[in-house]
Amino acid sequence: MSRRVVSLWFPRFASDRALRLRPVEGAFALTLSEGNADRLYCANAVAAGQGLVPGMTVTDARALQPGLQTRPADPRGDAGFLRALARWAGRYCPWVGLEGRDGLVLDVTGAAHLFGGEAQMLDDMRLRLSRAGLTVQLGLAGSRGGAWALARFGQGIAGPGEALRRIGPLPIAALRLEPQTCIALERLGLRSVSDLHRLPRATVTRRFGPGPLLRLDQALGEVPEAIAPLPDPPVYSTRLTLPDPIGLTGDVMAGTARLLDQLCARLKARETGARLLRLTLRRVDMGHQQVELRLASPMRDPARILPLFERGVAEVEAGFGIDQMRLEAVQVEDLPVQQLSHAQAGQGAGRLEDLMTRIGNRIGLENIHRFLPADSHIPERSFLVAPAAWSDPGGSFVALRPRPLRLFPPEPIGGAGRKPPRSFRWRAMSLTTERAAGPERIAPEWWLQEDAWRSGLRDYWKVDTRQGRRLWLYHTPQAPGWFVQGEFA
């Protein structure tokens, strides 16, 4: 059986991925900072049709197309998405490898008949990828180099024995040569693969070395070229089979401690930490009990993780006994080794994460939030709310003037003039102004759309009332009125 290889090339891979998440109309491109300039990294079909190419500076691109929309590129995210596509491509064959940063290569030898033939298999790939919003070009040949050439310069299928006929008319660049070599060959009048194939091999080798002929032989299938499939992701799991069934909580915790030591040693060897652990307990009646532990941060310290299992293990129904235990790290994250200072190595290190883990396994980690400072002078925009388990503590909040402990939507009160009213009613309470400090004028941020600030400027006052309330009032000069927006402690 002759070898058959499929090459998938995504000419606009990065931009297609970005537009899948947030579609836009018109010219669009991703940018990447190189040196002191922002350059185009990948452009969509509209931008490419207007002459915008990768490597062009953003300034030059906007001069050609003022309406160009851009976003920062994410090469790391693109690499992860390409690996996900490689796993998806495993539905066609077991041998799937990466081809650069925007392509895949599949060894489909003996698999095409499962999809009705080679042409039908390529149509199925193209249809599924187009439904996912990805532009793809496909090539199928008897070698990896031949499939690569067809995908990028010709598309289609080269049957057995048809490699030279299908690849011959393609340009020299279809042989995966260095740009300098392609330019040198073209200066000699070699425009196509057939032109190179007709030259005496000794002459080509003496002038350009063995590289061009090696690539030519690989494309024609005369020199084999291996396809290295993606390695399977590491599995972090340990198992303990017991000679006699156990049922006491202390015995289960002792077994869990032994499993944790082995699992954490594997995590440490790969510089990763567990975010989700699953303890499976098999009973003698072949029933199973599972205890899941969601961690607020990546961990691999057995001494810290073991006490967090106590609540879940105590609720396990052991039945007639447990004869097998299995511990698995279902979700892991990178956790490189770090140099600890004397302050970080103290007894309080990690206590906050342990507390969040205990609470989060009852109410859900996504329900524990932290406030992070934001760069805005608008009171409502001066902070962000983020899940505590998936964010790091921010810097200190910077406020040139004191801010109230409680903020709420503005509530109108009666008052006239630019100074706080002497007496007013708020929330069914009659209040009298004892002391007022202000005004502090805050202007809207014109670059952001904020409906609550359409009235324009606000003059804020800190008002102490005789009744003990300390309120944050503001006056709107454009549409005269008074409002209460916060209360001090």
Side-chain angles (χ1 to χ4, degrees), residues 114-136:
L114 300 175
F115 302 89
E118 294 179 347
Q120 291 79 359
M121 181 177 63
L122 294 188
D123 290 339
D124 184 72
M125 292 180 184
R126 188 178 292 106
L127 177 61
R128 292 178 183 274
L129 291 170
S130 63
R131 286 177 178 175
L134 298 175
T135 304
V136 64

Side-chain angles (χ1 to χ4, degrees), residues 407-460:
L407 276 177
F408 40 79
E411 300 175 3
I413 60 173
R418 292 180 174 272
K419 293 187 177 182
R422 296 293 303 171
S423 59
F424 57 93
R425 289 186 61 82
W426 174 65
R427 294 185 179 180
M429 294 182 291
S430 297
L431 303 175
T432 303
T433 300
E434 177 69 21
R435 186 182 301 106
E440 176 191 356
R441 174 159 291 186
I442 298 179
E445 295 174 339
W446 57 266
W447 57 91
L448 296 176
Q449 195 71 17
E450 183 65 46
D451 295 338
W453 282 76
R454 289 184 180 275
S455 57
L457 301 172
R458 295 182 182 179
D459 291 334
Y460 280 86

